[in-house]
Amino acid sequence: MKTIATAAGRHVPVTELGHTLMHEHVFVLNAEIERNYPGRWDEEVRVADAIAKLESAYDRGVRTIVDLTVVGLGRDLPRVQRVAEQVRMNIVVATGLYAYDDVPMFFKFRGPGLLIDGPELLTEFFVKDLTEGIADTGITASIIKCATDAQGITPGVERILRAAARAHRETGAPISTHTHAPTERGADQLAVFVEEGVDLSRVVIGHSGDTTDLDYLERLLDHGVYLGMDRFGLDLMLSFEDRVATVATLCEKGYAGQLVLAHDASSYTHNFDLDAKEKLMPNWHYEHVHADVLPALRDRGVTDAQIEQMLVANPAAILG
């Protein structure tokens, strides 16, 4: 039976992952900013806070989160391990690179046809994380993360997407993406993945729930990908009611087998001032799906079987 490595060092059978939120974060932290302009981060306070929030989500019914924090978002697996070892929650970790425009300077001049010619380090790094482990932790990643935002397929973004696709082909690992749904960037990603020979049944086009454009969403779904309806709580971007209605409509149309749910939340993010986050997005946390979204979906006619499909069967199929 296929097992999945977790940040605590456990190997969990995919059939035992339970209710799984497929796009979350534990910490989003810019360590370079914090080192040079300190004052926003307190390690012990934040670790304790993450433990409390994950334990509360476990009591609510969440059993596994997929932490899609990769390079570019401040991945620090030893810090996540500290949390994982003290919670009941399974935390599945990712490899990949998060950028909207270009690769970091470290990669800028290294690679095929570049100033320092050689193999594609991005693919090499992703594969190492998936097969050998991240840094010296011994914990392997189980999924690949990449991103395309409103800027579209820039040369740097294309390089990352193709590296992710090639790491997928070499290892079989699934791919989960960040997209800008209003500009249909999922379709751009899909085109690259098709060119690269990616198994589209192993792809989650993320943040697809940021739009109500059913035509766009169904065009993606009809290629066999999963859609991440994974920003519940980010009501500034799209209302709760619209997010729920979109999922309910897609379930009614028979697509529950290709949807996954989540929040894109974190216990702490450097990207927002904490007070502003609490004021403007009070529902952006790990428990919102179970506390508020599932009852609203049921009210719209989504069945318990469809909910289990989206929260249990689909994540197990993607990760397994």
Side-chain angles (χ1 to χ4, degrees):
M1 181 182 297
K2 171 72 172 179
T3 62
I4 300 298
T6 71
R10 297 187 293 266
H11 286 78
V12 181
V14 291
T15 56
E16 297 178 15
L17 292 174
H19 278 205
T20 301
L21 302 177
M22 283 293 295
H23 195 130
E24 307 291 356
H25 304 275
V26 180
F27 304 114
V28 176
L29 177 65
N30 189 316
E32 188 174 17
I33 292 291
E34 186 60 29
R35 286 194 196 99
N36 287 278
Y37 305 99
R40 292 174 176 84
W41 176 261
D42 184 314
E43 180 82 10
E44 297 309 315
V45 167
R46 291 300 157 207
V47 167
D49 181 60
I51 291 168
K53 287 173 177 173
L54 289 169
E55 282 290 277
S56 183
Y58 187 95
D59 288 338
R60 181 74 70 174
V62 183
R63 292 296 177 265
T64 302
I65 65 166
V66 178
D67 182 355
L68 291 178
T69 310
V70 294
V71 173
L73 287 170
R75 185 181 73 178
D76 186 331
L77 188 49
R79 179 179 287 125
V80 174
Q81 282 181 292
R82 285 191 63 195
V83 174
E85 289 165 356
Q86 300 180 70
V87 299
R88 293 167 289 172
M89 187 84 69
N90 301 311
I91 303 174
V92 177
V93 297
T95 188
L97 182 62
Y98 186 87
Y100 291 173
D101 299 288
D102 206 352
V103 295
M105 286 302 297
F106 178 88
F107 300 100
K108 184 74 171 174
F109 303 111
R110 295 178 167 100
L114 299 176
L115 182 64
I116 305 171
D117 199 2
E120 176 55 83
L121 279 179
L122 291 169
T123 303
E124 181 181 313
F125 284 3
F126 299 166
V127 170
K128 179 181 182 299
D129 284 352
L130 292 160
T131 59
E132 299 178 28
I134 297 169
D136 59 356
T137 64
I139 305 299
T140 53
S142 297
I143 195 164
I144 306 163
K145 168 75 172 293
C146 52
T148 310
D149 208 77
Q151 297 89 325
I153 304 289
T154 66
V157 165
E158 181 176 359
R159 184 178 168 191
I160 297 166
L161 294 180
R162 294 191 186 279
R166 290 164 191 176
H168 152 82
R169 289 209 323 265
E170 186 169 338
T171 65
I175 298 172
S176 186
T177 75
H178 164 105
T179 66
H180 188 260
T183 52
E184 301 190 358
R185 294 310 176 199
D188 296 342
Q189 292 178 343
L190 186 63
V192 173
F193 293 156
V194 168
E195 286 181 11
E196 288 289 339
V198 169
D199 177 355
L200 298 182
S201 71
R202 307 283 288 150
V203 172
V204 183
I205 302 295
H207 307 336
S208 295
D210 284 348
T211 182
T212 59
D213 185 345
L214 292 173
D215 178 67
Y216 163 65
L217 296 177
E218 289 185 59
R219 280 188 281 121
L220 295 177
L221 287 162
D222 290 343
H223 281 86
V225 298
Y226 292 85
L227 297 188
M229 315 306 281
D230 51 21
R231 274 185 160 174
F232 280 103
L234 266 173
D235 300 331
L236 285 179
M237 301 186 69
L238 190 69
S239 74
F240 173 83
E241 292 77 15
D242 281 342
R243 291 181 186 278
V244 167
T246 301
V247 173
T249 300
L250 290 173
C251 286
E252 184 179 354
K253 287 174 172 282
Y255 289 113
Q258 291 173 255
L259 306 179
V260 293
L261 307 179
H263 310 91
D264 194 22
S266 56
S267 72
Y268 175 86
T269 174
H270 238 165
N271 296 340
F272 300 92
D273 291 332
L274 293 182
D275 290 345
K277 176 176 175 287
E278 290 298 323
K279 180 179 180 180
L280 296 173
M281 296 170 285
N283 293 320
W284 196 28
H285 55 76
Y286 302 131
E287 299 181 43
H288 180 47
V289 163
H290 281 72
D292 305 306
V293 175
L294 299 188
L297 288 173
R298 291 186 177 104
D299 287 345
R300 287 291 304 260
V302 177
T303 67
D304 286 343
Q306 289 172 320
I307 287 170
E308 291 297 297
Q309 182 79 47
M310 293 185 285
L311 284 174
V312 179
N314 294 347
I318 293 162
L319 293 170

